[in-house]
């Protein structure tokens, strides 16, 4: 009980502090305090990425996953901001001494910034009266600067270095609570703005440098330690693209798509900028087509632009982010690498402009809306179908501007099937292309869709499935430039006749056909309807003793009732079967259906072949006649209940000579 109360108290504390936190940063700081409190007062739990010096305050998700950017973390316990240890005492009971900013730099370990402040004659200013905010680069940040840049700064300490340090300062005190997302503040260097981002995961950045130690109070201001040296931002993102030779092709494309003004105006964008190399990787015919199509080009470029500004340091896990094109990119990280849709294609990060940030990528991102049908199919889960469509001579329909819909079966749909390009296969593939461009969201039950082959395909809407004939849609629509693609779970087979026609044409059902005629059900299976027939094969009847079958054949009424128990009143394909699906037969109690390892079962009897399509229903072949299956555990599996009273059941059992095993 005490253990449960402890967990309850922890959960309550986490929730309460979450509500009390003013900002996302304060929320993760408070969570880190709670995780570290067993080590003493003012101790924060930090997650350190193994193999790096990166540390983060922890949130619930990171705490339990023990991963950041896909890499394992080690939990360390440190003094929370503003506190320090006292020899012989637990935790961090003492507040840091409140001194001026110059001395505070030394207290919190930003000794390189302190040294350069002295060299640049900034010491007197940050020791004297005032109320400043200093974004102080860590020692590691200075060490990471390219040698030529650092040399240029320290060789002219009175101008370049002083200006650089002044750009890290704001002439008023700003705590982390004041650093709002999207805010800008004039720096002490020519009033040029510094740009703040305060993300929902608690990460705070200034000019894309992450704050690693925040809210270090001083008598004349406050210090926030950042993980890089920041530089002044004066150009918008369009100007940055204009002046970079590596982005020549992108610059031409932006102008052709009419996006120049968007990238010049105020905003807060993230641009994944494809380099010249990225464009060169695209097949020339594809690139020429897109560059010559204003709508496709605009979609392509908008797919590279996020609606909000995301510095690389804000990414600690894969997150879907909306683009200007309207769809999403999965932006994530893998260790030190920034990833897009799971691929490490970012070559340069955090080139910041006044209205956004640019990350360079070496691979072009082509949205579905700029692709032909063939391009949608290639490199996906329908590559087998794509090859077959080519072999069938249907390429022109897949690369042109026809408004059609492609029904593309998954690769798994072709397992154990002949891929020979016979006339029948060509005809079948033509019936996988609809004459109009459809959205699955607009399809309705009973709708008919005409194919290039002139066949009308029926739409069936089930509780958890949307199917076209025997094939059910297995993924979201792929909406291309001119046409759409539905990914379906199996090769589509249009109906070729009534249920009776289908059974007559299949030698496996020759015995069943005779029995149907004997029972007087031929007319039923020829007339209009939506039947589901669990049809016993010849093998099912062969398993019966000849004498039993003979007796059954002499009683057309019982024979008809037995067959009607195999016929459902409603249409049901295998793709619509879920656990505990029920079908009401024409006679008797409901049939229980389920699936296991892609096999459909009816009253625990496996369907040996599903989805034989007819104009008035669907046939599923079974090798067991209702009432004759004996389960492996020795318990008789009742597959029929033709009558509602027990005497009728006894008559059937007697006539069928069913033996119940113990």
């Amino acid at each position: 009980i005490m253990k449960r109360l402890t967990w309850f108290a922890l959960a309550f504390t986490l929730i309460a502090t979450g509500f009390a936190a003013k900002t996302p940063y304060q929320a993760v700081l408070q969570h880190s305090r709670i995780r570290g409190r067993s080590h003493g007062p003012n101790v924060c739990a930090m997650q350190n990425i193994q193999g790096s010096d990166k540390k983060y305050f922890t949130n619930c998700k990171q705490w339990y996953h023990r991963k950041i950017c896909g890499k394992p973390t080690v939990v360390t316990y440190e003094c929370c901001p503003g506190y320090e240890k006292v020899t012989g005492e637990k935790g961090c009971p003492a507040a840091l001494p409140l001194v001026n900013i110059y001395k505070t730099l030394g207290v919190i370990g930003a000794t390189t910034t302190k040294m350069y402040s002295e060299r640049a004659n900034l010491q007197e200013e940050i020791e004297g009266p005032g109320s400043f905010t200093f974004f102080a680069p860590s020692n590691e940040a200075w060490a990471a600067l390219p040698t030529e840049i650092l040399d240029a700064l320290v060789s002219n300490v009175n101008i370049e270095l002083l200006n650089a340090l002044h750009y890290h300062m704001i002439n008023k005190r700003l705590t982390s609570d004041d650093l709002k997302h999207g805010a800008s503040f004039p720096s002490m260097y020519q009033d040029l703005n510094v740009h703040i981002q305060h993300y929902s995961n608690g990460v705070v950045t200034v000019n894309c440098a992450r704050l690693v130690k925040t809210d270090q109070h001083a008598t004349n201001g406050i210090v926030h330690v950042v993980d890089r040296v920041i530089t002044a931002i004066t150009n918008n993102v369009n100007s940055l693209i204009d002046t970079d030779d590596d982005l020549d092709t992108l610059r031409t494309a932006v102008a052709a798509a009419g996006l120049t003004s968007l990238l010049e105006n105020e905003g807060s964008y993230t641009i994944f900028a494809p380099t010249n190399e990225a464009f060169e990787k695209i097949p020339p015919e594809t690139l020429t087509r897109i560059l010559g199509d204003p709508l496709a080009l605009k979609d392509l470029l908008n797919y590279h632009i996020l609606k909000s500004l995301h510095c690389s340091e804000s990414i600690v896990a894969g997150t879907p982010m909306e683009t200007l094109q309207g769809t999403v990119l999965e932006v994530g990280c893998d260790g030190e690498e920034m990833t897009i849709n799971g691929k490490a294609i970012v070559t340069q990060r955090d080139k910041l402009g006044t209205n956004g940030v640019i990350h360079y990528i070496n691979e072009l991102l082509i949205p579905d809306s700029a692709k032909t049908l063939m391009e949608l199919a290639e490199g996906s889960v329908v590559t087998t179908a794509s090859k077959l469509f080519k072999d069938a001579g249907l390429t022109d329909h897949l690369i042109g501007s026809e408004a059609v819909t492609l029904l593309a079966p998954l690769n798994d749909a072709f397992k154990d099937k002949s891929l020979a390009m016979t006339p029948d296969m060509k005809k079948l593939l033509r019936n996988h292309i609809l004459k109009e461009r459809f959205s699955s969201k607009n399809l309705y039950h009973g709708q008919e869709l005409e194919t290039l082959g002139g066949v009308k395909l029926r739409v069936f809407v089930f509780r958890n499935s949307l199917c076209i004939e025997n094939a059910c849609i297995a993924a979201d629509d792929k909406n291309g430039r001119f046409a759409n693609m539905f990914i379906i779970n199996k090769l589509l087979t249009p109906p070729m006749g009534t249920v009776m026609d289908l059974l007559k044409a299949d030698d496996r059902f020759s015995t069943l056909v005779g029995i149907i005629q004997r029972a007087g059900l031929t007319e039923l299976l020829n007339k209009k309807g939506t039947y589901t027939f669990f049809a016993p094969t010849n093998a099912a009847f062969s398993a019966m003793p000849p004498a039993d079958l003979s007796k059954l054949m002499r009683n057309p009424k019982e024979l008809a009732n037995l067959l009607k128990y195999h016929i459902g009143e409603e249409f049901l394909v295998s793709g619509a079967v879920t656990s505990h699906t029920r079908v009401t037969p024409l006679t008797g109690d409901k049939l229980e259906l389920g699936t296991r390892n892609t096999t459909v079962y009816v009253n625990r009897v496996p369907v040996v072949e599903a989805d034989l399509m007819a104009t008035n229903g669907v046939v599923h072949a079974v090798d067991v006649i209702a009432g004759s299956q004996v389960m492996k555990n020795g318990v008789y599996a009742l597959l029929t209940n033709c009558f509602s009273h027990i005497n009728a059941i006894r008559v059937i059992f007697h006539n069928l000579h069913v033996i119940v095993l113990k």
Side-chain angles (χ1 to χ4, degrees):
I1 293 174
M2 288 303 296
K3 187 175 182 181
R4 289 182 180 178
L5 288 173
T6 301
W7 279 109
F8 176 79
L10 177 59
F12 180 80
T13 303
L14 287 170
I15 294 170
T17 53
F19 280 114
K22 297 179 182 178
T23 64
Y25 168 76
Q26 289 295 335
V28 296
L29 176 62
Q30 290 180 11
H31 183 270
S32 293
R33 279 180 174 274
I34 291 167
R35 295 298 179 185
R37 66 183 179 182
S38 62
H39 293 261
N42 305 314
V43 173
C44 284
M46 305 288 291
Q47 287 188 262
N48 189 343
I49 300 177
Q50 289 186 16
S52 79
D53 58 359
K54 281 194 168 185
K55 294 179 181 180
Y56 295 83
F57 291 117
T58 181
N59 59 33
C60 280
K61 185 175 180 180
Q62 292 168 356
W63 177 263
Y64 287 110
H65 287 186
R66 289 294 200 272
K67 284 187 177 181
I68 294 176
C69 284
K71 301 301 180 183
T73 60
V74 176
V75 176
T76 58
Y77 296 92
E78 302 179 4
C79 292
C80 295
Y83 295 91
E84 64 180 352
K85 291 181 176 294
V86 174
T87 303
E89 294 190 34
K90 188 177 181 180
C92 306
L96 287 173
L98 194 64
V99 292
N100 60 52
I101 287 178
Y102 178 75
K103 291 182 179 178
T104 298
L105 293 173
V107 171
I108 62 177
T111 53
T112 306
T113 298
K114 182 180 181 183
M115 175 187 68
Y116 286 141
S117 296
E118 183 179 354
R119 286 193 191 181
N121 293 321
L122 184 64
Q123 177 179 347
E124 182 178 352
E125 185 175 356
I126 58 178
E127 281 182 329
S131 183
F132 309 112
T133 297
F134 200 157
F135 296 105
S138 65
N139 295 346
E140 294 78 11
W142 288 107
L145 270 183
T147 304
E148 61 274 15
I149 294 177
L150 186 59
D151 287 347
L153 290 175
V154 298
S155 64
N156 192 349
V157 293
N158 293 327
I159 299 177
E160 297 297 336
L161 184 58
L162 180 62
N163 289 342
L165 291 172
H166 268 149
Y167 186 65
H168 288 73
M169 295 176 63
I170 296 170
N171 197 16
K172 62 178 175 179
R173 184 192 303 264
L174 296 171
T175 68
S176 61
D177 286 349
D178 300 316
L179 302 177
K180 306 297 185 184
H181 191 67
S184 296
F185 299 98
S187 73
M188 293 177 64
Y189 171 59
Q190 297 183 1
D191 285 336
L192 292 174
N193 282 342
V194 295
H195 303 275
I196 305 298
Q197 304 298 324
H198 194 141
Y199 297 98
S200 59
N201 59 8
V203 171
V204 183
T205 63
V206 52
N207 286 21
C208 286
R210 180 167 69 94
L211 276 62
V212 293
K213 288 183 180 179
T214 58
D215 297 329
Q216 308 293 333
H217 290 272
T219 55
N220 56 347
I222 195 167
V223 179
H224 306 290
V225 179
V226 295
D227 68 352
R228 68 181 74 169
V229 179
I230 63 175
T231 54
I233 307 302
T234 57
N235 294 318
N236 59 50
V237 290
N238 190 69
S239 297
L240 296 177
I241 293 171
D242 268 349
T243 55
D244 195 325
D245 292 341
D246 284 339
L247 302 178
D248 283 344
T249 308
L250 176 61
R251 179 169 60 253
T252 302
V254 166
L259 294 178
T260 300
S261 59
L262 173 75
L263 301 183
E264 288 177 337
N265 295 336
E266 288 187 8
S268 187
Y269 303 114
T270 300
I271 301 172
F272 295 106
T275 61
N276 299 336
E277 175 194 359
F279 282 98
E280 290 166 2
K281 292 179 180 179
I282 300 300
E285 62 275 12
T286 300
L287 186 58
T288 299
R289 177 183 62 78
I290 294 175
L291 292 177
D293 182 344
L295 287 178
L297 180 59
K298 191 169 184 178
D299 270 1
L300 173 80
L301 295 176
N302 280 336
Y303 190 56
H304 290 74
I305 306 174
L306 302 181
K307 288 185 172 182
S308 52
L309 193 154
H310 288 275
C311 300
S312 62
E313 286 295 331
S314 72
I315 308 299
V316 294
T319 306
M321 298 183 183
E322 189 174 0
T323 67
L324 292 186
Q325 182 259 347
T327 55
V328 299
L329 293 173
E330 179 81 13
V331 182
C333 49
D334 183 11
E336 294 293 326
E337 299 287 344
M338 191 175 180
T339 62
I340 303 174
N341 292 342
K343 301 175 71 174
I345 59 174
V346 178
T347 57
Q348 183 181 339
R349 299 177 289 184
D350 298 332
K351 192 165 185 179
L352 193 63
T354 55
N355 59 345
V357 65
I358 297 176
H359 307 296
Y360 289 56
I361 57 175
N362 61 10
E363 188 173 301
L364 198 63
L365 307 171
I366 304 180
D368 288 348
S369 60
K371 292 180 180 179
T372 64
L373 280 176
M374 188 62 75
E375 290 164 352
L376 287 175
E378 290 174 343
S380 67
V381 291
V382 295
T383 50
T384 303
S386 173
K387 182 179 184 304
L388 288 173
F389 286 123
K390 288 181 183 177
D391 294 344
L394 297 170
T395 302
D396 288 346
H397 297 289
L398 306 185
I399 64 173
S401 57
E402 286 181 89
V404 297
T405 303
L406 178 67
L407 307 177
L410 291 164
N411 292 337
D412 287 346
F414 295 95
K415 284 183 178 179
D416 304 321
K417 292 186 184 295
S418 172
L419 302 182
M421 192 48 62
T422 62
D424 284 345
M425 177 63 86
K426 288 184 179 180
K427 182 179 179 181
L428 181 60
L429 291 173
R430 284 185 66 82
N431 288 326
H432 281 72
I433 303 177
L434 306 178
K435 284 186 175 181
E436 297 179 46
R437 184 176 188 176
F438 292 100
S439 165
S440 65
K441 296 184 184 299
N442 294 329
L443 298 183
Y444 56 88
H445 191 75
Q447 186 177 6
E448 291 188 337
L449 313 173
E450 188 174 357
T451 71
L452 291 183
V455 172
K456 298 285 184 69
L457 303 177
R458 299 163 297 177
V459 175
F460 300 102
V461 178
F462 301 99
R463 183 177 297 276
N464 297 307
S465 302
L466 176 61
C467 305
I468 301 172
E469 294 298 339
N470 62 306
C472 297
I473 295 175
D476 292 335
D477 298 3
K478 294 284 188 180
N479 301 317
R481 173 64 181 91
F482 300 104
N484 292 352
M485 181 172 75
F486 298 165
I487 297 175
I488 54 179
N489 66 341
K490 58 176 60 179
L491 198 62
L492 189 146
T493 53
M496 302 304 293
T498 66
V499 169
M500 199 64 198
D501 293 333
L502 188 153
L503 296 174
K504 285 180 177 179
D506 194 325
D507 291 340
R508 293 176 298 173
F509 301 112
S510 57
T511 303
L512 176 61
V513 169
I515 290 176
I516 290 171
Q517 293 169 341
R518 175 69 175 165
L521 297 181
T522 303
E523 182 181 352
L524 173 71
L525 298 179
N526 270 324
K527 73 177 184 180
K528 188 176 181 180
T530 54
Y531 304 116
T532 298
F533 194 176
F534 297 97
T537 62
N538 294 343
F541 290 104
S542 296
M544 291 183 64
D548 294 349
L549 182 59
S550 177
K551 285 185 179 181
L552 186 61
M553 293 291 286
R554 291 197 296 269
N555 192 335
K557 184 177 180 180
E558 289 186 10
L559 191 59
N561 283 332
L562 181 64
L563 290 178
K564 286 181 179 179
Y565 185 62
H566 291 73
I567 304 173
E569 294 177 346
E570 303 165 359
F571 185 94
L572 187 71
V573 295
S574 63
V577 176
T578 59
S579 59
H580 306 299
T581 298
R582 290 185 173 187
V583 172
T584 302
L586 297 181
T587 299
D589 291 339
K590 289 185 178 181
L591 300 169
E592 295 282 350
L593 277 70
T595 59
R596 187 167 66 248
N597 298 329
T598 71
T599 298
V600 175
Y601 288 79
V602 51
N603 287 10
R604 300 185 182 179
V605 172
V607 171
V608 295
E609 184 175 353
D611 302 329
L612 304 173
M613 304 303 292
T615 56
N616 61 341
V618 60
V619 173
H620 305 297
V622 293
D623 280 345
V624 175
I625 298 173
S628 65
Q629 170 73 353
V630 178
M631 303 306 293
K632 290 182 179 180
N633 63 2
V635 178
Y636 177 71
L638 181 60
L639 295 175
T640 183
N641 184 8
C642 295
F643 306 99
S644 60
H645 51 83
I646 191 66
N647 290 333
I649 295 176
R650 287 174 178 168
V651 170
I652 292 174
F653 281 11
H654 176 73
N655 288 338
L656 292 178
H657 288 239
V658 176
I659 299 174
V660 180
L661 298 182
K662 293 183 179 180

